[in-house]
Amino acid sequence: MNVRSRTGCLACKKRKRRCGEEKPACRNCVVRGFECPYLSENSQLINLRFKISLAHGYRLPLKKQNRRHFISVSAEDVALLSSEHNQEIVPAEKDDTRTKNLNGHALNPVRLDVSVFASPLVDCSGLEHQLFQYYLQVISRVRVFRDDSRNKFRSLVVPFCCGRRPLLYAVLSVSANDRRAETVPTHVNYEQLALSYKSLALKSLRKSLSDVSNASEALMTCLILCTLEIASGCQPDWVRHAKGAFAIINSCSSMIDPEILFFARSYFQSRTVFFRTTGCHDDLHDKDAERLLEPQTGIDHGMDFFSQCTTLGINYADERTEIQPHFGCSLSLLDIIARATDLVSQKQKLRRNGCNSFFSEGEMMQRAMSLRSELDLLPKEHSLDSEYLTTCGECFRMAADLFLQLACDIPLTQPALQTLLGKLLDHIGKVIREDQERQLFPMWPIFLAGCLSTTDEDRGRVLNYFTYLAHAWPVSNIPIVREATETVWKFRDLNPHECGSGFDWQMIISRMNWKLALS
């Protein structure tokens, strides 16, 4: 018989179960992934909650709910998306709540006890120690598909965090930004704190750029600030940080640590490639119009880094076919996606300008088929020590296959394409599940699957995945990606006669001026 204890945790009391009263979290809550608050934790509220949040990365389970989704089409949607209205699409300016009321409001005073975690920082407050440990234990773990001792978000960041330097401020800003969604009562205004540290990071970064010996730290600072803007809902500044990182790489590559150079370049290149698949590629990549018909024989996407490995004294030849844990697929697969994106961009530009011909269409079709053959010859995405990473790699591979089918002008309703889409959704369902712990996920395959979904059943599955993700990632770019996907659906439903092209979603996202970071 279950006997309720008087001093048990609130979660067990609510479920009317006997509590083992283990501290800081009872066994019942640890096994089920529940938060385990006690009534007697008043004096240590902040530190205890912080310790629990780092235990296993659990969050409150998603309540059972009706899985019916309704997407309402408002009068504004009709005015913006329907072709019967000749209005130009002008996206409404969105309020950035992070910057409101910042001036004239000081941070709320807070007194914290000594952090329960050891910290390598010196001359830092107790709160800064907690934020830094939060980065090490939570942020760095969920920035990769596989967390191990080789996690670059830890090994390449910690050495630069001694002293008041730009990378430390960027790390503290990322941690504060992530914790602003916490429901635990606290006197800390994490939203304003994140903005303050971001401002300090940018000021310190500008000063450090005058010395080329700081190039490695400056590059990693751009990377961390880029993750901050992406997590804040795809703020357009993430594109600016990516541009700054490429400028540092192009001008100071000889002064940058080879490991940092490889990691940062592959990180930014993957974000750039996925961004360009949305059709909004002019900001990060621009080609001369006269080269539209020239075949892309080499890797022209900043991934020619491997050709420089011999001069740098390093060997990354094996890295091309391995799944990279910081973006979920191999560099060889990323190269195919990049070249397919170039092909689609050239084809659409020729058609818009009326310059396409039977010869050019045939040549581009041949290039698309060649890329599909190259994709088929790639080794299967596989990770020996992580089934999760292997499944994510398979999702990227199937998404790349779907993208190439669209490049071959295969219609969305084609049975083979719909069959592959169903397999992709099944694989996504293996890595995105209800009540799972917070973990990096394949955003680009989910977005692409949503854009290619034409039936209510497929759309419902995509919306379920977005719902699960939004619960596990309360501070992220998931809401804006979901909004973009739903906008594509609304456009197609309002304009069924204009949905002949499989890349209509690129036009919609480009006209709405979204800067989607699909990571």
Side-chain angles (χ1 to χ4, degrees):
M1 180 177 66
N2 293 333
V3 179
R4 289 180 291 171
S5 60
R6 296 182 181 274
T7 58
C9 71
L10 298 180
C12 289
K13 287 179 177 293
K14 183 176 181 180
R15 298 175 57 250
K16 299 182 179 179
R17 293 291 185 271
R18 182 174 183 176
C19 180
E21 302 183 18
E22 295 88 354
K23 299 294 181 67
C26 72
R27 186 175 183 277
N28 290 339
C29 292
V30 171
V31 170
R32 292 170 176 79
F34 297 163
E35 285 195 9
C36 188
Y38 283 88
L39 287 174
S40 58
E41 62 177 0
N42 295 333
S43 61
Q44 300 179 359
L45 180 62
I46 296 176
N47 281 337
L48 184 57
R49 290 285 189 176
F50 179 69
K51 185 174 182 179
I52 293 172
S53 69
L54 300 188
H56 299 287
Y58 291 122
R59 293 184 180 271
L60 288 174
L62 198 62
K63 294 182 179 180
K64 298 295 182 181
Q65 54 181 302
N66 189 346
R67 290 303 177 203
R68 295 181 181 271
H69 297 278
F70 298 92
I71 302 178
S72 60
V73 181
S74 65
E76 181 181 359
D77 292 330
V78 175
L80 287 175
L81 303 174
S82 177
S83 61
E84 296 180 2
H85 296 73
N86 294 324
Q87 293 176 291
E88 184 70 20
I89 292 184
V90 179
E93 294 184 1
K94 296 187 178 181
D95 293 334
D96 188 354
T97 56
R98 303 175 308 152
T99 59
K100 285 185 176 180
N101 302 325
L102 178 61
N103 298 328
H105 291 268
L107 294 176
N108 296 326
V110 58
R111 180 179 179 181
L112 296 177
D113 297 330
V114 178
S115 174
V116 295
F117 297 97
S119 174
L121 304 183
V122 293
D123 298 329
C124 290
S125 66
L127 178 59
E128 289 174 337
H129 277 275
Q130 285 194 359
L131 290 175
F132 185 73
Q133 290 300 321
Y134 186 84
Y135 173 85
L136 294 180
Q137 299 289 337
V138 179
I139 300 296
S140 62
R141 178 175 62 83
V142 300
R143 287 291 185 270
V144 291
F145 287 88
R146 179 190 62 206
D147 182 34
D148 54 25
S149 59
R150 297 170 293 177
N151 187 337
K152 306 301 182 184
F153 282 94
R154 280 196 293 266
S155 63
L156 299 182
V157 169
V158 173
F160 295 103
C161 290
C162 297
R164 297 286 175 175
R165 303 190 61 84
L167 187 52
L168 173 62
Y169 291 131
V171 164
L172 297 178
S173 179
V174 168
S175 295
N177 182 69
D178 193 74
R179 298 192 68 183
R180 63 188 171 93
E182 292 184 356
T183 58
V184 180
T186 176
H187 295 292
V188 181
N189 189 328
Y190 285 113
E191 187 173 339
Q192 292 186 359
L193 196 62
L195 283 170
S196 299
Y197 283 127
K198 174 186 171 182
S199 177
L200 290 172
L202 290 172
K203 291 179 180 178
S204 302
L205 177 61
R206 293 189 187 99
K207 293 180 180 179
S208 67
L209 289 175
S210 59
D211 186 354
V212 293
S213 63
N214 296 324
S216 294
E217 182 183 5
L219 185 58
M220 289 301 298
T221 303
C222 288
L223 191 150
I224 297 299
L225 289 175
C226 184
T227 67
L228 171 65
E229 300 299 344
I230 293 175
S232 299
C234 288
Q235 297 296 326
D237 282 346
W238 82 265
V239 176
R240 190 172 304 150
H241 293 311
K243 287 183 177 180
F246 284 128
I248 293 173
I249 291 173
N250 292 334
S251 60
C252 308
S253 59
S254 61
M255 301 295 295
I256 301 174
D257 179 86
E259 189 175 8
I260 292 178
L261 180 61
F262 174 79
F263 172 67
R265 192 164 196 170
S266 59
Y267 173 90
F268 284 109
Q269 194 55 55
S270 63
R271 272 63 184 175
T272 301
V273 169
F274 296 142
F275 170 68
R276 291 178 57 236
T277 62
T278 66
C280 305
H281 55 271
D282 292 336
D283 295 272
L284 288 176
H285 189 82
D286 191 18
K287 286 184 175 290
D288 194 305
E290 296 179 358
R291 299 177 56 200
L292 286 178
L293 294 177
E294 294 181 9
Q296 304 298 313
T297 56
I299 302 175
D300 190 21
H301 313 280
M303 291 191 293
D304 54 346
F305 173 71
F306 298 97
S307 63
Q308 307 169 10
C309 291
T310 55
T311 59
L312 294 174
I314 52 180
N315 182 18
Y316 285 117
D318 295 337
E319 298 282 353
R320 289 192 64 87
T321 57
E322 292 184 1
I323 305 177
Q324 299 298 314
H326 53 286
F327 58 85
C329 67
S330 67
L331 287 162
S332 296
L333 179 60
L334 186 66
D335 174 37
I336 292 177
I337 298 172
R339 285 184 283 157
T341 305
D342 274 346
L343 176 62
V344 171
S345 176
Q346 294 166 17
K347 180 185 293 188
Q348 292 181 339
K349 187 173 292 186
L350 285 173
R351 291 176 178 177
R352 284 196 305 267
N353 297 336
C355 300
N356 59 318
S357 63
F358 179 80
F359 174 77
S360 62
E361 290 286 342
E363 182 184 13
M364 287 186 287
M365 178 62 70
Q366 184 178 4
R367 287 167 53 191
M369 296 302 296
S370 176
L371 286 174
R372 291 195 66 185
S373 299
E374 192 174 336
L375 176 63
D376 293 336
L377 294 175
L378 276 184
K380 295 293 183 181
E381 306 286 324
H382 182 66
S383 174
L384 296 176
D385 52 355
S386 175
E387 182 179 354
Y388 181 86
L389 182 58
T390 298
T391 306
C392 291
E394 293 172 351
C395 290
F396 278 97
R397 188 188 186 97
M398 285 187 283
D401 194 357
L402 285 169
F403 192 81
L404 281 170
Q405 290 193 35
L406 294 181
C408 294
D409 293 325
I410 296 177
L412 293 178
T413 55
Q414 210 269 350
L417 187 146
Q418 289 298 313
T419 300
L420 182 57
L421 175 61
K423 292 181 180 179
L424 174 58
L425 290 172
D426 291 339
H427 273 70
I428 293 175
K430 296 179 182 179
V431 296
I432 301 177
R433 304 180 305 274
E434 189 174 8
D435 299 339
Q436 73 174 22
E437 68 177 61
R438 186 179 178 187
Q439 194 168 7
L440 197 62
F441 57 92
M443 173 68 90
W444 183 68
I446 299 171
F447 171 76
L448 190 63
C451 290
L452 302 187
S453 296
T454 57
T455 65
D456 290 343
E457 180 182 0
D458 290 344
R459 291 181 178 183
R461 296 178 68 181
V462 172
L463 290 177
N464 282 338
Y465 296 148
F466 278 129
T467 301
Y468 301 155
L469 292 173
H471 174 75
W473 296 77
V475 179
S476 68
N477 59 336
I478 295 169
I480 187 64
V481 176
R482 174 172 179 161
E483 181 184 353
T485 305
E486 293 180 355
T487 303
V488 172
W489 296 342
K490 292 176 183 179
F491 177 85
R492 288 178 180 163
D493 293 343
L494 290 169
N495 307 278
H497 56 285
E498 294 187 7
C499 300
S501 171
F503 287 103
D504 55 352
W505 47 276
Q506 289 189 341
M507 175 270 295
I508 298 167
I509 293 172
S510 179
R511 291 170 65 184
M512 296 298 291
N513 200 28
W514 275 315
K515 308 297 182 184
L516 297 183
L518 300 175
S519 57

